[in-house]
Amino acid sequence: MKKKFSIVLLIATCITFAQKKTNGTIYVEHPAINLVEAMTQAYVNGDADKVASFLADDFKSYNGTSSNKDDKGSDKASFLNEVKFWKDNVDYLSVKRSPGAYPDALEYKEDNNKDVVWVQTWEDLKGVHSKTGVKIDMPLHRLFIVDKNNKIKTIIKYANNSIFDEISSSFNDRENGVIYNHHENINIVRKMIYAFENKDFDKAYSFYDEKATFMDINSPVGKSITLAEQKANDQKLFDKFDLTSIDMVGYPDYLHYEMGDAMAVQSWWNFRLTRKSDKKKIVLPIFFIDNFNDKGKITSEMAYYSEKLME
C-alpha cells in the first residue's frame, strides 16, 4: 500500500510540474519602461509635441473598463488632445507610481508578440479640476504595447471614471433638499439637550435609537461608540463637572437631503460647566450633527468641541 501511495504521489507531482509552461521574461528594468515613464512625464507637463514623439503613427488608446464590443479606440490625434485638455483644465496634475508598486516589462515568446514589449504600470493619478475644484485622486492601471521601433503603439487604461461624473455635475447649480429652521426633529434635539441640562437622563436617552452610534472630533478618525458607551462617558463628565446651564447659540438647522433621503439637525450650544476639583468655570462651545431615521429617532451623533478647554 505504501508503495502504491508513493507512485500516486510521484504521478501527481509530475502532472503538477507538467502544467507549468514559460511564455517569456518579465523585466523590472527595461528600455520600454523608461520610454513609458518619459511619455507619462511629458503628458503630465502638457508637452503634446514631446508626447507625440513617443507614439507610433498607428497608435490607439483604449478604455479597459468599456463594455462596448465595437470600441475602435482613440487615435494619436485624440490622445494628444487629451494632453491639452489635462493641461488646460487640471491643476497640480501628477501621475506617480503607487506606493510599493513598480512597472513590469514583458517579452512574450508567442509569435504575435515577438516584435513588441508589453509594459504594465500601477500608478496614482492626482490633480484638482480648475473650474469646479473637484479633487482627482485615484489609482490608475495601464498596459502599453511598445513596438520594435521603440514607439508606443497601444495603451489600455483601467481607472474609476466616476470622478468625472462629479466634475460634469458641478458645472451647474443643483438643489439637494430643504433646510428648515423649525421642524419636529429640531424640537427633538432641543428636548434632548435640555433633558441633559436638567439631569433627566432617561428622557434624554429616549430620543436615541437603541443602535445609535456616537463620534467625537477628539477621537481617532472613524471611531464610533455605542449608546451604552456614550452613557458611561456622560457619567464621567458629570462626575468631574457640575452643569450650570446649556445655552443655544443662534438656531438649529434641519436638513432633509434629496440624495440618500438623509435627515440631519445641526445645532450650536454653550455648555456652562464648573469643574468640581477647583471650582473653575468653563464655557464649552459644542456643535452637534444629529442624524435621524424616519421614525424620528437619532441614529448617530457627531460632536465638535475643544477637549483642551476642559483640561
Side-chain angles (χ1 to χ4, degrees), residues 2-252:
K2 183 176 180 181
K3 183 177 181 181
K4 289 182 179 179
F5 178 78
S6 299
I7 293 173
V8 171
L9 183 61
L10 178 62
I11 293 172
T13 303
C14 292
I15 291 174
T16 300
F17 280 104
Q19 290 175 338
K20 294 183 178 181
K21 180 181 178 182
T22 60
N23 187 31
T25 307
I26 300 175
Y27 297 88
V28 69
E29 295 182 3
H30 195 284
I33 293 176
N34 299 336
L35 172 74
V36 164
E37 294 198 321
M39 186 282 294
T40 299
Q41 189 57 53
Y43 191 108
V44 168
N45 293 337
D47 190 341
D49 291 338
K50 190 168 184 179
V51 170
S53 70
F54 294 112
L55 306 181
D57 291 337
D58 60 348
F59 169 86
K60 284 294 183 71
S61 174
Y62 298 90
N63 178 0
T65 63
S66 173
S67 59
N68 181 7
K69 295 181 179 179
D70 298 318
D71 186 6
K72 300 297 192 296
S74 301
D75 61 13
K76 184 174 181 177
S78 298
F79 189 78
L80 296 177
N81 283 335
E82 286 183 23
V83 177
K84 185 178 187 305
F85 171 84
W86 284 88
K87 180 180 180 180
D88 294 343
N89 292 279
V90 178
D91 297 327
Y92 321 117
L93 178 64
S94 69
V95 179
K96 296 180 180 179
R97 294 181 181 181
S98 300
Y102 53 86
D104 291 321
L106 299 90
E107 291 185 354
Y108 291 101
K109 290 181 179 179
E110 297 170 334
D111 290 341
N112 61 336
N113 278 306
K114 279 187 175 180
D115 293 330
V116 301
V117 178
W118 285 75
V119 175
Q120 52 185 4
T121 65
W122 293 266
E123 298 157 310
D124 292 325
L125 169 63
K126 298 182 180 183
V128 176
H129 189 255
S130 55
K131 173 66 175 178
T132 64
V134 173
K135 182 179 180 181
I136 303 166
D137 186 354
M138 63 183 184
L140 174 66
H141 174 48
R142 294 184 293 175
L143 300 176
F144 298 81
I145 300 178
V146 179
D147 66 19
K148 60 183 179 182
N149 298 316
N150 205 33
K151 298 288 186 179
I152 299 170
K153 64 178 297 182
T154 305
I155 298 177
I156 306 172
K157 180 178 68 175
Y158 298 85
N160 182 354
N161 293 316
S162 61
I163 189 67
F164 299 107
D165 295 334
E166 177 64 18
I167 291 173
S168 178
S169 298
S170 297
F171 278 95
N172 300 301
D173 296 341
R174 182 188 185 279
E175 295 180 355
N176 183 28
V178 183
I179 299 176
Y180 299 82
N181 61 2
H182 291 88
H183 190 277
E184 178 56 26
N185 287 347
I186 290 177
N187 298 341
I188 289 171
V189 169
R190 281 197 297 241
K191 288 187 288 185
M192 177 267 293
I193 291 290
Y194 292 136
F196 274 113
E197 180 183 15
N198 289 280
K199 299 181 176 58
D200 187 355
F201 300 121
D202 287 341
K203 183 175 181 178
Y205 295 126
S206 72
F207 296 108
Y208 293 95
D209 183 87
E210 62 181 11
K211 295 182 179 180
T213 57
F214 298 80
M215 289 174 284
D216 186 321
I217 191 61
N218 300 287
S219 301
V221 175
K223 177 179 173 56
S224 64
I225 60 175
T226 64
L227 179 57
E229 291 170 320
Q230 183 61 36
K231 289 179 180 180
N233 285 348
D234 291 340
Q235 185 58 54
K236 291 177 183 178
L237 173 70
F238 288 110
D239 287 344
K240 294 181 180 179
F241 296 89
D242 286 323
L243 179 60
T244 305
S245 70
I246 303 177
D247 304 327
M248 189 168 66
V249 178
Y251 57 87

Side-chain angles (χ1 to χ4, degrees), residues 216-218 237 241 269 271 273 282-287 303-311:
D216 186 321
I217 191 61
N218 300 287
L237 173 70
F241 296 89
W269 310 86
F271 278 48
L273 305 167
I282 298 169
V283 178
L284 181 68
I286 298 184
F287 169 52
Y304 297 82
Y305 64 95
S306 173
E307 204 170 49
K308 288 189 174 295
L309 291 176
M310 302 172 69
E311 294 177 355

